Amino acid sequence: MSAGTAGTSGTGTAGAPGSARTAGAAVRFVATDDGARLATSVFLPQEGPSRVTVVLAHGWAAARPMWRPVAERLVRQGHAVVTYDQRGHGASTLGREPIGVRRLAEDLATVLSAAPPGGDAEDVVVAGHSGGGFAAMAYAAADPERAAARLRGLVLLGTAAHGQDTPDGEVKMMGNPLFGWALKRPALGRLLLRQTMAPGAPKAAAEANRRMFADLPGEVRAACFACSRGMDLRRELASVTVPALVLAGDADKIIDPELGEAVAAALPYARFERVPGAGHTLPLEAPGRIVMAVTELADR
């Protein structure tokens, strides 16, 4: 979702996923315990061992290309990067279990178990955007000791630990064939998704956002937007000792930045920052700021 403008904090702007290419990507599939096949892209630095491994989890109605502006920067800095399509998105299949926040957390655990080592066992940083942030938090909260042993840090972007009770009407709209038809019309689709972006978003980024949103089957869109109803991870997050940085665009109209502040307040070792001039989709709007956050955690 979304695209954007250059922020005033050195965030940088990406044109569109696919406009930059990161050399050395290998596509691999990992199998979950309920029969889903998750498509991953593994990017390795061309010289020397990787500093850390960074696993990137996208949000609803996106796919691996959402992270390309971030991945290329991280690889240039010497990190190994793993991106993956959430179940039912991109090239990943659905499994026997329905889409749910806990199920997506287990999917993340599967991806982590297959990720290349970046050095020591704990040399992994997970960055999760929006629904990918739900999965990252649920993964860490499910087994805080496992998370502390595996992760060096969490970067949580445009996300929330509670307050995501999508109304029935919006869930039905996500699955409506007419909405899907409209998303496939470039100008109309960009108009429908305009609130996912900060004002003045580059057209190329907005179009990339629309294509990913339109490519997702309506029933998967609806299931994703419904699955966070009743979610409240705040109490469980109090046991998570992994350092975290929580970022929210100050123009985010999809998930209120105050909900990001609540995430940081729930985590014992977290800091919250607003990203000036950015909307909801920080991987496209502020890739440079995300890389700064990963670097800060990697260098601890």
Side-chain angles (χ1 to χ4, degrees), residues 145-171:
E145 291 186 6
R146 175 187 64 176
R150 187 71 173 116
L151 304 183
R152 182 173 289 204
L154 286 166
V155 179
L156 302 169
L157 308 163
T159 194
H162 76 294
Q164 299 303 294
D165 298 324
T166 308
D168 285 343
E170 186 174 343
V171 171

Side-chain angles (χ1 to χ4, degrees), residues 100-116:
V101 172
R102 304 291 181 185
R103 178 65 257 180
L104 296 176
E106 293 174 16
D107 291 351
L108 173 58
T110 299
V111 172
L112 284 168
S113 69

